[in-house]
């Protein structure tokens, strides 16, 4: 069967399952489920899809938001995509336009006090789609027994088998926007002693390495679990996806979850479990702790405040499960933009409404060219050793264009992260009259070692600049480490930015046990970035690995 026809049939199947005959709230409320998964981000899609492989299980995946990719019914798009089977989500080159042309249909509106997606696919529907395998050392250093590298290796293998990825998404096989890559290669490899390599083929190497970004794309379009895992799950009669379903709290009797309270199209209902059923929270590192707290599980001081504000559904204090680890340890990569300029650089600005005609035609006819890429030309990593033997990870990359005051044709943005081994973290705080989740103010640089490590990384990069023709515009290349620390910890458009790689707010061993079961509960789990420790790479692939590992563990519990 031709690929295009097969794709159209899959889309038609999805539309029929999800939109032609939506399940009324009253029908959902009279059905008993073996598994209720809350949140259709990467982890939620994977865990729900895997658990539905057993035909005896009735699996319900709930998503508060609505359509995203075209195959999910998403139709938001610029005029130049009219007549195609593409929404804005499907086109990699429209990734960055989510910031210049934000979407109320994709982004969380009055649901979290941070930037994020509330849509089918979660953040995988709006982020760059970077897909980096964490080094084995991340699991061996930062995860407990049962989650070491040897434990998760089968999960990584299954993920690669199911989720396509590529470091060259243009179907014509050409790497586009390579002026940044070429300049960075001279800078980092020739001058700085970095090694150019295939990043995921050498996942263990994260000291002075450089290469092309890896994306979870396929066929020149945005990929991710919605395109891979979910399309298979939707063909199973025991799997159901319900969008527009905002879960308010988990219902429980003591340590036994019995269902969830959900609002669908203005109707509040109770969705119930079978006697052996399980609820799995996969709403992300901000939403999942919020749901735990509003279900009476968390810091007793927070629960007292929520109870007084009638946020616990009348649950008495005698039924609370006190656990100060809920929402604690929240992590995000501290971020710095450095605007790099040079005569060999050719910046490229992605346009939502009116791309250059040649680029538009190349993408629409061949799924090739600039719009097959999200805009990053290269990624690189290094490590910073401490006197006590510990190590901090650091990461960088070059974008396609400049930012804020530096947007000429010869300037691109270098993005600098701190990654694994950083010492700062905060917590999830519920604020406002609706007690919505957001980060506390101490997520970034609350431990001064982090700024020192990132400044050391930047100083090393600057040391390799002579002879490259590249010049940093917003930070003097002669700056000392102390001066760089002062700059990156100050408040400017280029510093202290939220990367929104939220993770680690319900850690294994303190918030959930090794099986991802919430401590104090028997059949309530958290499976998303909340349980993932800070990684040496962008967290998306790590979250998917965690979901695959969680499936193994929960599947055994359900036998």
């Amino acid at each position: 069967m031709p690929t295009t026809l097969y794709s159209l049939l899959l889309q038609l199947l999805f539309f029929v399952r999800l939109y032609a005959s939506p399940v009324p709230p009253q029908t959902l409320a009279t059905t008993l489920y073996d598994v209720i998964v809350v949140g259709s981000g990467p982890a939620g899609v994977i865990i729900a899809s895997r658990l539905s492989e057993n035909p005896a299980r009735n699996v319900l995946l709930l998503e508060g938001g609505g359509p995203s990719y075209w195959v999910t019914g998403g139709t938001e798009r610029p005029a130049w995509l009219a007549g195609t089977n593409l929404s804005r989500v499907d086109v990699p080159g429209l990734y960055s336009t989510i910031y210049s042309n934000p979407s109320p249909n994709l982004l969380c509106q009055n649901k979290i006090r941070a930037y994020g997606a509330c849509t089918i696919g979660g953040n995988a529907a709006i982020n760059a789609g970077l897909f980096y395998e964490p080094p084995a050392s991340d699991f061996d250093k930062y995860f407990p027994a049962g989650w070491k590298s040897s434990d998760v290796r089968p999960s990584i293998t299954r993920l690669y088998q199911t989720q396509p990825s590529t470091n060259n998404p243009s179907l014509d096989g050409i790497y586009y926007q390579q002026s940044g890559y070429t300049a960075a290669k001279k800078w980092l490899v020739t001058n700085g002693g970095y090694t150019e390599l295939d990043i995921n083929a050498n996942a263990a190497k994260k000291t002075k390495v450089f290469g092309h970004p890896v994306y979870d794309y396929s066929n020149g379009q945005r990929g991710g679990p919605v395109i891979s895992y979910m399309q298979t799950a939707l063909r199973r009669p025991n799997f159901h996806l319900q969008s527009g379903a905002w879960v308010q709290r988990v219902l429980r009797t003591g340590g036994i979850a019995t269902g969830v309270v959900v609002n669908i199209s203005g109707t509040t209902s109770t969705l119930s479990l079978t006697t052996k059923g399980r609820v799995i929270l996969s709403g992300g590192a901000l939403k999942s702790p919020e749901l735990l707290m509003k279900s009476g599980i968390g810091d007793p001081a927070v629960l007292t405040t929520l109870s007084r504000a009638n946020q616990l559904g009348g649950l008495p204090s005698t039924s609370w499960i006190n656990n100060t680890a809920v929402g604690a340890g929240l992590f995000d990569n501290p971020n710095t933009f450095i605007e790099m300029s040079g005569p060999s650089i050719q910046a490229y600005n992605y346009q939502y409404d009116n791309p250059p005609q040649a680029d538009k035609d190349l993408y629409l006819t061949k799924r090739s060219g600039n719009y097959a890429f999200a805009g990053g030309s290269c990624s690189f990593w290094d490590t910073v050793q401490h006197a006590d033997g510990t190590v901090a990870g650091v990461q960088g990359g070059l974008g396609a264009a400049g930012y804020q005051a530096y947007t000429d044709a010869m300037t691109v943005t270098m993005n600098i992260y701190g990654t694994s081994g950083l010492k700062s973290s905060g917590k999830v705080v519920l604020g406002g009259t609706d007690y919505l989740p957001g980060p506390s103010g101490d997520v970034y640089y609350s431990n001064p070692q982090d700024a020192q490590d990132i400044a050391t990384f930047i100083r090393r990069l600057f040391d390799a600049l002579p002879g490259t023709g590249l010049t940093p515009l917003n930070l003097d290349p002669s700056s000392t480490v102390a001066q760089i620390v002062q700059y990156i910890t100050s408040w400017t458009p280029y510093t202290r930015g939220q990367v929104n790689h939220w993770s680690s707010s319900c850690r294994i061993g303190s918030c959930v046990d090794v099986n991802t079961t919430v401590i104090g509960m028997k059949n309530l789990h958290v499976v998303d970035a909340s349980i993932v420790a800070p990684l040496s790479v962008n967290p998306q692939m790590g979250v998917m690995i965690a979901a695959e590992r969680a499936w193994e563990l929960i599947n055994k519990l359900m036998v």
Side-chain angles (χ1 to χ4, degrees), residues 168-186:
N168 187 7
S170 183
L171 293 190
D172 61 7
I174 298 173
Y175 285 101
Y176 289 79
Q177 301 175 31
Q178 289 303 286
S179 67
Y181 190 93
T182 302
K185 181 177 178 180
K186 180 179 180 181

Side-chain angles (χ1 to χ4, degrees), residues 46-376:
I46 289 174
I47 192 71
S49 298
R50 286 296 188 198
L51 287 171
S52 72
E53 290 175 354
N54 183 334
R57 293 183 188 137
N58 195 13
V59 177
L60 176 64
L61 175 58
L62 298 173
E63 169 55 47
S68 52
Y69 302 77
W70 178 265
V71 75
T72 70
T75 57
E76 183 179 328
R77 60 188 181 182
W80 64 276
L81 293 180
T84 71
N85 60 349
L86 300 169
S87 78
R88 70 180 295 174
V89 167
D90 294 292
V91 182
L94 293 180
Y95 145 69
S96 62
T97 68
I98 196 70
Y99 303 102
S100 57
N101 296 79
S103 167
N105 299 320
L106 300 174
L107 300 176
C108 295
Q109 302 291 309
N110 302 318
K111 295 299 180 182
I112 60 175
R113 294 182 298 109
Y115 191 88
C118 289
T119 189
I120 296 171
N123 284 336
I126 69 166
N127 64 23
L130 292 169
F131 191 74
Y132 295 129
E133 180 182 336
S137 57
D138 280 359
F139 294 100
D140 292 334
K141 285 182 181 178
Y142 306 121
F143 284 73
W147 286 80
K148 300 299 185 182
S149 60
S150 59
D151 301 308
V152 301
R153 177 47 56 186
S155 301
I156 295 172
T157 299
R158 286 195 308 275
L159 180 59
Y160 275 125
Q161 291 169 344
T162 309
Q163 177 57 58
S165 60
T166 179
N167 65 7
N168 187 7
S170 183
L171 293 190
D172 61 7
I174 298 173
Y175 285 101
Y176 289 79
Q177 301 175 31
Q178 289 303 286
S179 67
Y181 190 93
T182 302
K185 181 177 178 180
K186 180 179 180 181
W187 170 23
L188 298 175
V189 177
T190 303
N191 286 17
Y194 279 62
T195 300
E196 183 183 22
L197 45 69
D198 181 321
I199 293 169
N200 278 358
N202 297 274
K205 297 179 179 179
K206 287 295 175 283
T207 298
K208 285 198 168 186
V209 295
F210 164 90
H212 289 285
V214 183
Y215 303 97
D216 62 357
Y217 302 165
S218 58
N219 300 316
Q221 297 178 199
R222 179 188 292 273
V226 167
I227 302 300
S228 50
Y229 289 80
M230 184 183 284
Q231 299 312 305
T232 301
L234 283 166
R235 295 196 291 271
R236 301 181 186 126
N238 61 315
F239 176 92
H240 179 69
L241 167 66
Q242 180 65 49
S243 61
W246 291 102
V247 172
Q248 298 173 348
R249 62 185 177 276
V250 177
L251 291 175
R252 58 186 182 82
T253 301
I256 304 293
T258 59
V260 298
V261 176
V262 62
N263 186 290
I264 304 174
S265 302
T267 299
T268 299
S269 306
T270 296
L271 308 184
S272 299
L273 294 173
T274 62
T275 55
K276 295 184 179 180
R278 293 177 183 270
V279 173
I280 301 173
L281 301 183
S282 298
L286 297 176
K287 287 295 289 183
S288 289
E290 175 205 12
L291 286 175
L292 288 176
M293 294 177 201
K294 290 183 177 178
S295 304
I297 304 170
D299 186 324
V302 174
L303 300 184
T304 297
T305 299
L306 292 175
S307 180
R308 290 171 178 168
N310 297 316
Q311 294 288 313
L312 299 185
L315 188 72
S317 59
T318 53
S319 296
W320 296 353
I321 296 175
N322 297 330
N323 187 342
T324 57
V326 174
L330 179 67
F331 179 81
D332 186 25
N333 302 109
N335 179 63
T336 300
F337 287 167
I338 301 177
E339 304 307 309
M340 304 297 296
S341 183
S344 65
I345 295 293
Q346 297 175 355
Y348 186 88
N349 288 286
Y350 286 95
Q351 302 294 321
Y352 182 75
D353 290 308
N354 192 28
Q357 188 65 46
D359 291 349
K360 187 189 312 183
D361 292 343
L362 186 56
Y363 185 75
L364 291 178
T365 59
K366 297 183 179 180
R367 294 296 188 268
S368 299
N370 288 315
Y371 278 75
F373 291 81

